[in-house]
Amino acid sequence: MQMIKYEDTSNEIIYESIKSNVKAPVYVATINLKGNEENCQIPMHWHRSLEVIIPKINSTEAWIEGNLYYVNPNQFLIVNSKEVHRCRSKVINQKYFGYALQINYEFLKSLFDDIDAFYFDTICTNETEVLDILNQIIDIYFSNDNLKYIQMMGLVYELMYTLLSKHCHLKSEGYSIQSEKQKDRLVEILTYIDDECDHITDIKSIAEHFNLSYGYIANLFKTYLHTTIHDVLNQARIKRIENELITTDKSITEIYTTHGYTNSKSFYHEFAKFHDITPNAYRRNARIKK
């Protein structure tokens, strides 16, 4: 699977390896998913750079600090510095192509020294001007022009001026995780839930696995992700169930019992939080689109 490369450089926190081949504070990664890949997603991670997701074929589903966002082609989505996030194609088993543009943190600090006290809108509506700048940066980035960094610098300054002047806000208290130790712990727990969601029978067993109190973990999720462990666990399970609904002919009962649900009532209740149609209808609709 050809995806962005990641390096684990600090206590199990996953960082993106950003190696620009031009003399500008920006890196552009191509994300090309061919479909039929069970784990077509960028893993849970965080970084200091500002990231902009620009889908071209199919839509992106982004999980950012406990919230789900969807962005379609001809739109873009911003991931702020130090936000825990992961991304995947919105529709499993369909081709996805797009770009992830990352702007260097030190460059941002040089432009705006108080950048850590502010955040950018995740979704910027009706911003054709910004999208046009992003597309120009991408085109120039992959060009063979030896002087392309000069053009790119001008466009990056123009991009940041627009974002800072129109889509930048002062953070409220507790908006982001200030302690990197807590971020380490949070990503570790989120990764464990992703990997083991089918086998977690008791929420409190997660706390026991990490030798922490349940209250501590619950407060960590509430404070920094504005959600609960229960909701994150069910989100991980539903993602796996979506994939099996599309890729297998297993019965609904067989699928949900495989992924941690012991009865139909709890499964259908959780599925309804993500979809306004039944699992059978979801399966039919997804297969028609393939």
Side-chain angles (χ1 to χ4, degrees), residues 53-55 58-64 66-78 86-92 96 122-125 235 238-239 242 271 273-276 282:
I53 306 298
I54 309 119
N58 217 324
S59 301
T60 295
E61 176 189 275
W63 185 99
I64 304 175
N67 297 307
L68 276 176
Y69 300 91
Y70 299 99
V71 57
N72 301 318
N74 297 318
Q75 297 178 331
F76 63 93
L77 176 144
I78 296 176
R86 66 164 173 247
C87 301
R88 71 167 190 170
S89 175
K90 182 180 177 182
V91 182
I92 299 173
Y96 174 85
T122 302
I123 301 292
C124 303
T125 57
Q235 188 179 91
I238 294 299
K239 286 181 184 297
E242 289 170 0
F271 193 85
K273 291 181 180 179
F274 297 89
H275 303 286
D276 57 3
Y282 178 87

Side-chain angles (χ1 to χ4, degrees), residues 1 35-41 88 92-93 198 239-244 247-248 259:
M1 180 169 59
N36 300 315
E37 299 172 66
E38 183 176 353
N39 297 310
C40 279
Q41 64 178 359
R88 71 167 190 170
I92 299 173
N93 276 2
D198 294 343
K239 286 181 184 297
R240 294 192 179 195
I241 287 169
E242 289 170 0
N243 184 62
E244 286 217 43
T247 61
T248 76
H259 295 289

Side-chain angles (χ1 to χ4, degrees), residues 43-217:
M44 194 82 68
H45 66 288
W46 68 283
H47 42 70
R48 300 175 77 197
S49 301
L50 182 71
E51 183 169 45
V52 186
I53 306 298
I54 309 119
K56 293 296 183 180
I57 299 175
N58 217 324
S59 301
T60 295
E61 176 189 275
W63 185 99
I64 304 175
E65 304 231 331
N67 297 307
L68 276 176
Y69 300 91
Y70 299 99
V71 57
N72 301 318
N74 297 318
Q75 297 178 331
F76 63 93
L77 176 144
I78 296 176
V79 181
N80 283 280
S81 174
K82 298 184 181 181
E83 287 185 332
V84 179
H85 62 286
R86 66 164 173 247
C87 301
R88 71 167 190 170
S89 175
K90 182 180 177 182
V91 182
I92 299 173
N93 276 2
Q94 289 194 14
K95 177 181 173 62
Y96 174 85
F97 180 80
Y99 299 98
L101 186 149
Q102 296 149 343
I103 300 172
N104 182 275
Y105 173 78
E106 284 71 25
F107 173 73
L108 294 175
K109 285 283 287 182
S110 71
L111 288 180
F112 192 55
D113 189 58
D114 291 332
I115 194 68
D116 290 326
F118 291 81
Y119 71 96
F120 296 96
D121 293 324
T122 302
I123 301 292
C124 303
T125 57
N126 301 318
E127 265 296 356
T128 55
E129 177 187 2
V130 173
L131 188 62
D132 181 60
I133 297 171
L134 291 168
N135 286 329
Q136 288 184 66
I137 291 174
I138 292 168
D139 289 343
I140 295 169
Y141 185 91
F142 291 106
S143 75
N144 294 320
D145 188 343
N146 291 330
L147 299 177
K148 61 184 177 183
Y149 69 91
I150 299 175
Q151 288 180 290
M152 288 184 61
M153 282 301 297
L155 288 168
V156 171
Y157 277 112
E158 186 178 355
L159 172 66
M160 292 313 306
Y161 174 79
T162 304
L163 293 180
L164 286 167
S165 61
K166 298 172 66 175
H167 299 288
C168 188
H169 311 280
L170 183 67
K171 292 179 181 177
S172 59
E173 186 177 355
Y175 175 84
S176 63
I177 301 174
Q178 300 301 320
S179 167
E180 293 192 6
K181 182 178 179 180
Q182 287 177 311
K183 189 177 285 285
D184 284 358
R185 178 65 73 188
L186 183 59
V187 173
E188 190 179 6
I189 296 169
L190 289 168
T191 302
Y192 174 75
I193 291 174
D194 263 356
D195 292 342
E196 302 297 331
C197 61
D198 294 343
H199 311 293
I200 297 172
T201 56
D202 183 350
I203 293 292
K204 292 185 178 180
S205 69
I206 300 172
E208 293 170 1
H209 176 82
F210 290 98
N211 197 28
L212 297 168
S213 72
Y214 173 76
Y216 172 82
I217 292 181

Side-chain angles (χ1 to χ4, degrees), residues 1-5 30-34 37 40-42 96:
M1 180 169 59
Q2 298 299 313
M3 299 187 67
I4 300 175
K5 295 181 180 179
T30 300
I31 306 174
N32 189 4
L33 307 179
K34 299 177 182 177
E37 299 172 66
C40 279
Q41 64 178 359
I42 298 172
Y96 174 85

